[in-house]
Amino acid sequence: MKMDGMREVNKALNNIVGRSKNATKSALHRSAQGVGTEANRKVREEYTVKAGDVKNTIRIQHRGDHEIDILSRGSALSLPKFRLTPRAPVAKQPNKAVKVAVKKGSTKKIKRDFVAAMPNGHIGAFSRVVGQSKKRKRNAKGDYPTLPIGESFGPAIPVMMNNDRVVKHIEDQAIERMDKRLDHEFGRIFK
């Protein structure tokens, strides 16, 4: 039995299958980019951190044709990356209280901290490290030095992205964006 046009039908079907694979890859990649942007926006909705600091930690990693990981890697942020008062060392009021707003809408006073500039120009919130096992010795003036000091840090961006509201929003956006992108990509193929 011989049927006319089967070769053309098979060719057309193979073309559609190849194009549909490319469409799903494209939809997945574009959705991941949008979800990364949404994650950045939602983190900044919850915390007083800058967009550039969040964006620098987000990575999109392809794991095959149909899987993408959106990762965030980074270390704890120094307090000036958040809303810190005072922003710079205050010479006239060295004991001015340090306040920081890590989450939007909540400001906390940090006892024993002070804002100082390091010799390399880094400004941070520091405090004297308490509980050192070594006994401090008097210096040449007869005073006890106030060192060692340590810097105070806020949470890391990955910790902020692990907030329940942020995770829920990211998951919802991933589903919504993937549906829209698939509709768009397959609409292009079949038109």
Side-chain angles (χ1 to χ4, degrees):
M1 179 158 110
K2 186 176 181 184
M3 295 184 76
D4 293 333
M6 280 305 284
R7 185 174 288 163
E8 288 80 16
V9 169
N10 283 336
K11 194 175 187 181
L13 287 174
N14 286 338
N15 188 21
I16 289 174
V17 169
R19 290 174 68 193
S20 68
K21 280 185 180 180
N22 290 339
T24 55
K25 280 184 192 178
S26 177
L28 191 62
H29 182 72
R30 290 287 301 271
S31 297
Q33 287 177 330
V35 169
T37 302
E38 276 298 312
N40 187 337
R41 187 186 64 73
K42 189 64 176 177
V43 166
R44 288 182 296 113
E45 227 175 68
E46 299 282 327
Y47 298 92
T48 60
V49 68
K50 294 179 182 170
D53 293 335
V54 178
K55 184 179 178 184
N56 290 338
T57 67
I58 296 175
R59 300 283 179 265
I60 297 173
Q61 215 172 42
H62 294 272
R63 292 180 47 181
D65 289 345
H66 304 293
E67 197 172 334
I68 288 183
D69 289 337
I70 300 173
L71 305 170
S72 177
R73 290 193 180 132
S75 57
L77 298 176
S78 61
L79 290 182
K81 296 279 186 180
F82 300 98
R83 193 169 295 138
L84 181 71
T85 306
R87 298 282 305 157
V90 181
K92 292 181 182 177
Q93 299 173 330
N95 295 329
K96 186 165 177 146
V98 175
K99 296 177 189 173
V100 67
V102 173
K103 281 194 126 187
K104 286 203 174 174
S106 68
T107 302
K108 292 186 180 181
K109 189 185 255 188
I110 304 174
K111 293 181 179 179
R112 297 189 189 123
D113 271 22
F114 57 93
V115 177
M118 298 301 282
N120 65 0
H122 172 71
I123 295 175
F126 299 92
S127 65
R128 187 173 153 265
V129 177
V130 181
Q132 291 293 317
S133 60
K134 294 180 181 178
K135 188 174 180 181
R136 294 185 301 143
K137 297 178 182 176
R138 290 181 187 246
N139 60 13
K141 294 180 185 177
D143 298 330
Y144 288 103
T146 56
L147 296 176
I149 62 170
E151 187 171 4
S152 299
F153 291 93
I157 301 291
V159 173
M160 294 180 219
M161 287 186 73
N162 203 24
N163 179 321
D164 291 338
R165 284 185 284 214
V166 175
V167 170
K168 174 89 171 93
H169 181 74
I170 290 171
E171 289 171 350
D172 293 344
Q173 283 296 310
I175 292 167
E176 182 182 324
R177 285 176 179 270
M178 191 63 187
D179 287 344
K180 284 181 183 177
R181 290 307 307 173
L182 282 173
D183 287 346
H184 173 75
E185 294 293 336
F186 282 115
R188 279 186 341 149
I189 290 173
F190 293 116
K191 282 188 180 179

